[in-house]
Amino acid sequence: MGCCDTESALSVQNERQKRTLIVVLIINALMFAIIIVASWLAGSSALFADAFDNLGDAITYAVSLYAVSRSNSVKAKVALFKGGLIFLGGFLVLGQVVYKLMHPAVPLFELMGLFSLIGLSANVLCLLLLNKHRHEDVNMSSVWACSRNDIVANLSVFVTAGLVWITQSGWPDLLVATLLAIYLLRSGFEVINNARDNLNSGCNH
C-alpha cells in the first residue's frame, strides 16, 4: 500500500472514530444529567458514583475527539489525562461515602434499580459502538475501557438496590460505592500505565 493509500485509510478511520465519539459523548452527557438528579432523589452514593462515571466519560470523549487525528504521542498524553479523570472520579466517590457515613440514611431502592437499568441500556449501546474501534489505537482503547467501567457500575448499582431492599439499610449502598471507587482507581492506573508504555515506545523510536 502506497503512502497516499495509507493516509486515505487513516483519514477514513479518523472520521469513523469521530462520528462514534460524538454519539457516545451525547449519550453520556444526557445520562449524567439524568442520573445525578436520580442519585440526589434516591440519596444513593452508588448511583452518584454511576453518574460521575458518565460525566467523566463525557469529558473523556470530548478530549478524545481532539486526539483522533493527532499523533500517537498526543494520543498517549490524552490517555494520561483520561486516566487522571478516572482517578479523580474514584476519589470523589470516596468523599461521598465518607459524607454518608457521617450522615447515614437508607436510599430509595426503587429509584436505584430503575435508573441503573436505564443507565445500563445506554452504556451497553455505547460499548457496542466503541467495540469496533477498541484495537485501533491507544486513544480509542482507553475510551473503550471507560465505557466498560460504566457497564460494571450499572450492574453494581442494580445489585445494590436489591440488597438495600432486602436489608432495609444503607450499608450495601456505601459498600458498593466504595468498591466502585476502588475499581475506578484501578482502571485509571491501567489507562495511565498503557499511555506511559506508548509514550516510552514513541521515545524509543
Side-chain angles (χ1 to χ4, degrees):
M1 180 180 289
C3 177
C4 292
D5 291 336
T6 300
E7 290 180 356
S8 178
L10 286 175
S11 177
V12 171
Q13 175 178 289
N14 289 342
E15 287 303 314
R16 287 173 54 245
Q17 289 181 357
K18 286 179 180 179
R19 286 196 296 268
T20 300
L21 287 170
I22 289 171
V23 172
V24 296
L25 167 60
I26 293 171
I27 291 173
N28 275 271
L30 288 174
M31 291 312 302
F32 166 73
I34 293 170
I35 296 180
I36 196 67
V37 173
S39 71
W40 175 71
L41 293 174
S44 170
S45 294
L47 207 55
F48 172 82
D50 196 11
F52 189 84
D53 199 21
N54 282 118
L55 175 62
D57 282 354
I59 296 172
T60 290
Y61 299 144
V63 174
S64 296
L65 278 169
Y66 165 80
V68 163
S69 58
R70 308 289 172 171
S71 67
N72 287 334
S73 175
V74 171
K75 289 178 179 179
K77 290 175 181 177
V78 169
L80 278 175
F81 177 74
K82 287 185 280 191
L85 282 179
I86 297 173
F87 256 108
L88 177 61
F91 283 120
L92 284 177
V93 173
L94 287 177
Q96 171 78 351
V97 169
V98 171
Y99 175 82
K100 285 298 179 68
L101 285 172
M102 298 171 63
H103 303 85
V106 179
L108 300 176
F109 67 86
E110 299 94 340
L111 288 180
M112 291 176 64
L114 173 62
F115 284 95
S116 65
L117 290 179
I118 293 174
L120 178 62
S121 300
N123 289 317
V124 166
L125 175 59
C126 289
L127 192 68
L128 291 174
L129 291 171
L130 291 166
N131 192 59
K132 59 187 176 184
H133 303 291
R134 179 183 176 186
H135 300 295
E136 291 177 351
D137 55 46
V138 63
N139 183 42
M140 298 306 292
S141 177
S142 60
V143 167
W144 181 89
C146 290
S147 186
R148 177 198 60 192
N149 290 347
D150 286 341
I151 299 295
V152 174
N154 296 144
L155 292 173
S156 299
V157 174
F158 183 74
V159 171
T160 303
L163 292 175
V164 169
W165 172 58
I166 292 171
T167 63
Q168 291 298 302
S169 70
W171 71 261
D173 183 56
L174 297 180
L175 175 61
V176 172
T178 301
L179 293 175
L180 284 173
I182 293 172
Y183 182 83
L184 286 170
L185 294 174
R186 180 176 174 273
S187 181
F189 181 74
E190 289 177 352
V191 171
I192 289 172
N193 269 351
N194 189 28
R196 284 178 175 172
D197 288 342
N198 278 272
L199 279 174
N200 292 334
S201 176
C203 290
N204 292 334
H205 291 82

